[in-house]
Amino acid sequence: GSEDVMKQFTESFKGLSLEYKLSNINQAKAFAKYMNEIGCFYTDKAVDFELVESFSGEELVKIGLLEHQRWLQEHYDMGWTYGTPEKAQRDLLRQHKDMIPQFDGQFEVSEEAAKANYQRLDKAEQDKDTDPMECMLALLRMFDGLRIYRLY
């Protein structure tokens, strides 16, 4: 049930490093911004708008790009750069293959730069940017109260 899922989330969250905990929190905080960008909102009131059961492909692409841009900026701000180390060495070297090649991270990641980099990623990597958002939709449905609606 929903209590088991919450317990599982809580336990796995406890096991994360501070950096990953902050990243998870920042991702959750960005959710409202993403909803706004695709013309959606959430509330605990019953309102006369279309209830969102799932995101469209177009909405997921928009959310994915925004989340990738947020993730890139967050990582550059913490000193990460592009590199292709083994997964076990990634955190130590602060290099990741999904960062932008030939980008020094000394300035803000533009929407264009994030989009170009996002398109370079394979589907599995792109899904890492949208899966948590779809998961959020499922969690909101599971716990009574909050619902997501489309403004138009």
Side-chain angles (χ1 to χ4, degrees):
S2 58
E3 277 153 32
D4 295 340
V5 172
M6 264 328 272
K7 193 174 180 191
Q8 199 178 330
F9 267 114
T10 306
E11 287 307 309
S12 62
F13 187 77
K14 279 182 192 169
L16 296 175
S17 69
L18 178 60
E19 188 173 319
Y20 283 98
K21 280 181 181 164
L22 290 172
S23 187
N24 276 240
I25 290 166
N26 288 334
Q27 186 179 57
K29 282 166 67 174
F31 188 71
K33 177 187 161 199
Y34 302 161
M35 291 303 95
N36 193 45
E37 288 286 328
I38 61 169
C40 295
F41 66 98
Y42 51 91
T43 179
D44 60 351
K45 309 270 184 284
V47 293
D48 196 17
F49 287 92
E50 180 194 348
L51 186 65
V52 176
E53 296 292 340
S54 62
F55 297 122
S56 71
E58 197 179 304
E59 289 168 338
L60 284 172
V61 166
K62 199 164 195 178
I63 291 169
L65 285 168
L66 289 166
E67 173 55 20
H68 186 60
Q69 185 178 5
R70 185 204 65 79
W71 179 88
L72 285 167
Q73 191 66 59
E74 174 183 81
H75 278 67
Y76 286 119
D77 290 349
M78 292 189 293
W80 286 68
T81 56
Y82 172 79
T84 55
E86 292 295 313
K87 195 171 184 170
Q89 291 290 301
R90 212 184 269 170
D91 289 353
L92 192 68
L93 298 171
R94 304 189 78 64
Q95 291 184 344
H96 199 290
K97 63 181 175 50
D98 293 347
M99 305 290 287
I100 303 172
Q102 294 93 40
F103 179 78
D104 62 9
Q106 295 305 307
F107 52 91
E108 214 169 295
V109 178
S110 69
E111 202 176 315
E112 295 75 32
K115 185 176 184 172
N117 195 59
Y118 186 72
Q119 289 167 340
R120 166 185 88 74
L121 306 178
D122 61 38
K123 176 88 171 86
E125 294 302 315
Q126 288 180 353
D127 287 348
K128 287 180 184 176
D129 291 316
T130 53
D131 287 350
M133 301 303 139
E134 291 190 286
C135 181
M136 190 85 91
L137 191 61
L139 280 172
L140 289 175
R141 252 202 313 272
M142 202 168 73
F143 297 103
D144 239 8
L146 287 179
R147 294 288 180 269
I148 297 176
Y149 297 93
R150 282 196 178 85
L151 275 169
Y152 34 79

